[in-house]
Amino acid sequence: MTASPTPFAVTGSAVRAAEEPLLAAGQGAALMRCAAWGLAQHVLRVLRGRGPVAGATVAALVGTGNNGGDALWALALLRRRGVAAVAVPIARDEHGAPRWHAEGWAALRAAGGTAADVVPARADVVVDGMLGTGFRGEFAVPDAARGLPAGAAVVACDVPSGVDADTGEVRGGGVRAEVTVTFGALKTGLLLGDGADLAGDVRLVDIGLGPHLPSAPPERLRVMDGPTAARLHPAPAADGHKYTRGVVGVVAGSARYPGAAVLSTSGALEAGAGMAHHAGPATTRAAVVTAHPEALVSAEGPAPERTDAWVVGPGLDTEDDARERFIRVRDAVLANPRAALVVDASALTLVTAEDLAALRDAGARVVLTPHAGEWARLTERIPVPGADGAGHAPDELARLRAWSAAHGAAVLLKGPRTLVVAPDGEAWLMGEGGPELGVGGTGDVLSGVLGAVLAADAARRARAAEEEGATCGAGEVEHVPTLASLAAAAAWLHARAGADQARAGRMTAGTLPAAVGGTVARMWWGEARGTRAD
Ligand SMILES: NC(=O)C1=CN([C@@H]2O[C@H](COP(=O)(O)OP(=O)(O)OC[C@H]3O[C@@H](n4cnc5c(N)ncnc54)[C@H](O)[C@@H]3O)[C@@H](O)[C@H]2O)[C@@H](O)CC1
Ligand SMILES: Nc1ncnc2c1ncn2[C@@H]1O[C@H](COP(=O)(O)OP(=O)(O)O)[C@@H](O)[C@H]1O
Ligand SMILES: [K+]
């Protein structure tokens, strides 16, 4: 199968490391010219969206390092297009002379650009060229960067100043950009935490670092998108049947919270499970068959050997028999570790470190799906051994990786951005969808969707093992359906369905499963039955 590579981000530190051999080979100036050209193109795009380019004014806040150098060279290029180009230094030496990239300033002056103490009020665009990947410590926003003209668009050079390009952490002040033009590779700091909020639209400029970037999953943060999700959850084979499409066991809901059983089971069925079998008390069984006559229901659930994935947790009543229900699922997975396990909602308070250790030792594929509050409680209750909470790691991604590695289970952290990490450090970001998903019950639907995606994969593996003696698809690392990538793909389907249904005027978790069905059908059968997902 040919496919474009999955987008990915690496830390700012990894980009700096990738630049090193090129700098050692004397390529620094060429890299900077390349970066500046890309920055200038994106500034031109912003200017064109506002009116004529010739006669427009672009100012740049220019720091002392190469980030400022990029900005100065970009201004020089813009000057040649008839733009009034003004450089504003943010640091001066003891004689009052600007401290900035000397060649960059020489190029700008030669092109007819000027220097000023403040950003002119007429500026159409302000380029933030103060700090890039060389940012250390805290950023004190200089006076020149305060009170920028209200009408000017801010375009950040590489990284908004003040944002840690590795973690997205903002230390001290931070610049809010409409567009961030980043060089060499997407930086994780532009996709995570406050960095993601400050970066605005992120545009990548290729400066030829590709072969020098880290290729192994642990250093990368992959970004889930439609084509990748489609590869990971492909249409059923022509000769597919319910067992090859995957059987999902759903242990959810209680007399107190019957709806969760319906939402989770619906999510599994609409995401394309061959069969969904709900195990629960009489109330939830009745609710599930009323909503879905095709669902199987019983008190004890499907046979372990016939189940490809289990979902446990949504709407369990922790004051009732929830722990026993959880243990039955745990033991079913231990009896058949080929089946994947999704641990959601109430089950996140029921699972123990010993359960996780037993599942890991059995080789089971486990995904825990907390939201931020559940994640905080989980890591307090089950810390990383020898560490406080999830460990002293400096940022959320590192904390997730530390926890996942220590306990041998993948974690899908829900929120406005969904992060998935696996025990080997593989990490995915899923940024599709928006606040339309922030209503009660959408997480229950996600657990079912995730169950279906994992069940389909487990069933494909089982079939491949029978037919070829293989255990999973071969080929490039990008295309191997890993646990983390499958989980991120499920989150993408769920989020896209939420966005689809919001556009169609529906907003509740109850209608979300049907939207998942529509999204999956379009993805699988494209133009024949709808529009292909992009
Ligand atoms: N190294 C390369 O080959 C390339 C670098 N590029 C650009 O260069 C940038 C990195 O350049 P540098 O390594 O010079 O680093 P920066 O330009 O990001 O910042 C370094 C300067 O800022 C100062 N500084 C650091 N932390 C500060 C703080 N908290 N407050 C005030 N000043 C602080 C440092 O003392 C240093 O003078 C990238 O972000 C990118 O824009 C691009 O031109 C592409 C090629
Ligand atoms: N602002 C938001 N933007 C994008 N997705 C969101 C937002 N708020 C919530 N979500 C998504 O909605 C779902 C909510 O799940 P969860 O918190 O478990 O809800 P519940 O427990 O009520 O089912 C998650 O998939 C989460 O990522
Ligand atoms: K910057």
Side-chain angles (χ1 to χ4, degrees):
M1 182 190 301
T2 57
S4 56
T6 311
F8 66 91
V10 297
T11 58
S13 310
V15 172
R16 292 175 76 84
E19 284 165 350
E20 262 165 33
L22 295 167
L23 296 180
Q27 304 269 316
L31 286 176
M32 186 174 281
R33 252 26 102 64
C34 209
W37 186 84
L39 175 59
Q41 297 311 305
H42 285 287
V43 171
L44 284 170
R45 214 161 281 169
V46 173
L47 288 175
R48 280 189 208 110
R50 300 165 65 101
V53 166
T57 299
V58 176
L61 294 156
V62 182
T64 55
N66 290 328
N67 193 251
D70 293 344
L72 289 166
W73 277 104
L75 282 184
L77 292 167
L78 291 164
R79 178 70 204 114
R80 298 210 176 91
R81 306 293 290 263
V83 170
V86 183
V88 180
I90 62 154
R92 291 181 182 272
D93 65 18
E94 63 276 23
H95 308 295
R99 282 179 51 217
W100 58 18
H101 197 273
E103 290 109 65
W105 167 238
L108 175 58
R109 209 173 36 177
T114 55
D117 288 334
V118 292
V119 171
R122 64 176 192 282
D124 298 287
V125 170
V126 177
V127 173
D128 161 26
M130 293 184 280
L131 287 166
T133 58
F135 168 51
R136 300 289 174 269
E138 288 201 357
F139 178 52
V141 180
D143 289 343
R146 292 182 191 277
L148 296 176
V154 176
V155 177
C157 172
D158 204 20
V159 186
S161 298
V163 171
D164 184 312
D166 289 3
T167 64
E169 201 188 345
V170 174
R171 293 188 303 270
V175 170
R176 179 173 295 279
E178 255 147 72
V179 178
T180 294
V181 183
T182 201
F183 312 123
L186 286 176
K187 319 257 172 354
T188 44
L190 300 175
L191 306 180
L192 300 173
D194 291 334
D197 294 331
L198 293 183
D201 291 336
V202 179
R203 307 271 179 252
L204 173 63
V205 172
D206 183 2
I207 58 169
L209 297 184
H212 305 278
L213 291 169
S215 58
E219 284 96 9
R220 290 189 182 208
L221 175 64
R222 304 244 178 99
V223 183
M224 184 50 63
D225 59 11
T228 311
R231 284 201 297 276
L232 288 160
H233 192 47
D239 61 348
H241 53 75
K242 62 193 175 199
Y243 293 117
T244 59
R245 288 179 61 165
V247 176
V248 184
V250 180
V251 179
S254 53
R256 203 160 158 198
Y257 309 111
V262 178
L263 293 171
S264 187
T265 308
S266 306
L269 287 166
E270 295 282 5
M275 198 158 41
H277 188 140
H278 162 63
T283 359
T284 61
R285 298 202 300 267
V288 167
V289 282
T290 304
H292 283 287
E294 67 275 32
L296 299 181
V297 294
S298 65
E300 62 286 345
E305 66 280 8
R306 297 231 84 160
T307 308
D308 299 294
W310 292 88
V311 177
V312 62
L316 299 188
D317 184 352
T318 47
E319 283 167 23
D320 204 359
D321 58 349
R323 174 73 190 159
E324 291 81 72
R325 291 174 75 188
F326 175 81
I327 286 175
R328 275 203 295 279
V329 175
R330 180 201 66 187
D331 290 346
V333 176
L334 292 174
N336 173 24
R338 187 182 70 70
L341 171 62
V342 178
V343 180
D344 186 44
S346 310
L348 294 165
T349 67
L350 299 166
V351 67
T352 65
E354 292 70 33
D355 296 329
L356 292 172
L359 289 160
R360 178 191 54 204
D361 293 347
R365 293 152 65 84
V366 180
V367 186
L368 293 89
T369 56
H371 55 58
E374 289 166 337
W375 169 239
R377 288 190 290 277
L378 179 70
T379 53
E380 200 174 333
R381 205 169 54 76
I382 309 180
V384 172
D388 192 10
H392 292 295
D395 63 285
E396 192 161 73
L397 185 56
R399 285 193 291 275
L400 281 162
R401 281 175 161 150
W403 196 93
S404 176
H407 296 291
V411 181
L412 181 153
L413 180 62
K414 295 181 278 196
R417 284 177 288 272
T418 294
L419 273 173
V420 189
V421 300
D424 66 357
E426 182 182 339
W428 288 80
L429 176 82
M430 197 297 295
E432 183 73 20
E436 65 276 359
L437 279 175
V439 292
T442 55
D444 302 341
V445 177
L446 175 62
S447 69
V449 174
L450 184 49
V453 170
L454 296 178
D457 175 69
R460 273 193 304 276
R461 285 163 182 268
R463 199 171 178 194
E466 269 169 29
E467 286 173 2
E468 301 159 21
T471 52
C472 68
E476 284 179 64
V477 129
E478 300 276 359
H479 303 143
V480 174
T482 57
L483 184 60
S485 66
L486 291 160
W492 186 92
L493 290 172
H494 174 257
R496 172 51 71 95
D500 286 349
Q501 79 153 357
R503 267 195 295 275
R506 289 191 207 91
M507 297 287 209
T508 68
T511 52
L512 182 57
V516 170
T519 304
V520 172
R522 281 193 295 279
M523 191 175 81
W524 282 355
W525 292 298
E527 295 302 328
R529 301 188 199 183
T531 312
R532 186 170 288 280
D534 59 19

